[in-house]
Amino acid sequence: QVQVAESGGGLVQPGGSLRLSCAASGSIFSNYVMGWFRQAPGKEREFVAAVSWNGGNTAYADSVKGRFTISRDNAKKTGYLQMNSLKPEDTAVYYCAADRSALLGPDYARRSRYDYWGQGTQVTVSS
C-alpha cells in the first residue's frame, strides 16, 4: 500500500503563488501515476492535474492550464503542484492521489482511477 500526504497549503492573495507537496511512503513512488484533485465548498471533488511515472506526460484541467505546473521527484518520493496567478475560485481543499500505473491512460481525470489519497491541504485565495 502507498500512503501520500499533502502539505504547503495556506492563505494567499489573488495573483499570488503557492507550491504544494505530496510526500509518498510505503512503496516505490516511481511506479505510480500521481494526480491532484481539489474540492471547493459545496462542490464535488474535481480533477486538477496528473503526471506519468517518469514525468514525461502531464495533463491539466482547463481551469488551471497555464497557471499550475505538476511535477515529481521520484528520488525524493515527492510530487509537487506549483500554483501561480491564483484566483479566488481556486480556493479548495487540495488532494494528492496515486494510481498503480506508469502511464496516464484515458482515465487520468477520474477519481475512481486513483487508489491512494492524501488527507488534503487547504488553499484559500482571498484579499
Side-chain angles (χ1 to χ4, degrees):
Q1 296 289 102
V2 172
Q3 293 184 343
V4 293
E6 309 92 338
S7 63
L11 175 64
V12 63
Q13 295 188 27
S17 298
L18 284 174
R19 188 194 193 199
L20 305 183
S21 297
C22 175
S25 63
S27 187
I28 304 299
F29 190 58
S30 60
N31 294 136
Y32 295 85
V33 165
M34 187 266 287
W36 287 92
F37 291 74
R38 67 186 182 185
Q39 187 166 17
K43 297 183 178 180
E44 296 185 357
R45 193 170 301 185
E46 66 177 359
F47 170 77
V48 175
V51 60
S52 59
W53 75 273
N54 64 353
N57 290 298
T58 59
Y60 298 91
D62 289 341
S63 59
V64 306
K65 195 172 300 182
R67 299 187 297 121
F68 291 11
T69 302
I70 188 171
S71 62
R72 65 195 298 162
D73 186 337
N74 289 338
K76 298 180 179 179
K77 301 180 69 174
T78 302
Y80 304 96
L81 184 68
Q82 178 67 47
M83 306 185 295
N84 299 325
S85 302
L86 284 163
K87 305 174 181 179
E89 50 263 45
D90 295 318
T91 295
V93 176
Y94 283 72
Y95 298 88
C96 179
D99 173 60
R100 295 181 297 170
S101 62
L103 304 177
L104 290 182
D107 298 328
Y108 64 85
R110 299 186 64 176
R111 295 187 298 272
S112 60
R113 172 177 179 166
Y114 296 87
D115 300 308
Y116 311 105
W117 293 83
Q119 80 288 347
T121 186
Q122 177 70 48
V123 172
T124 302
V125 185
S126 176
S127 59

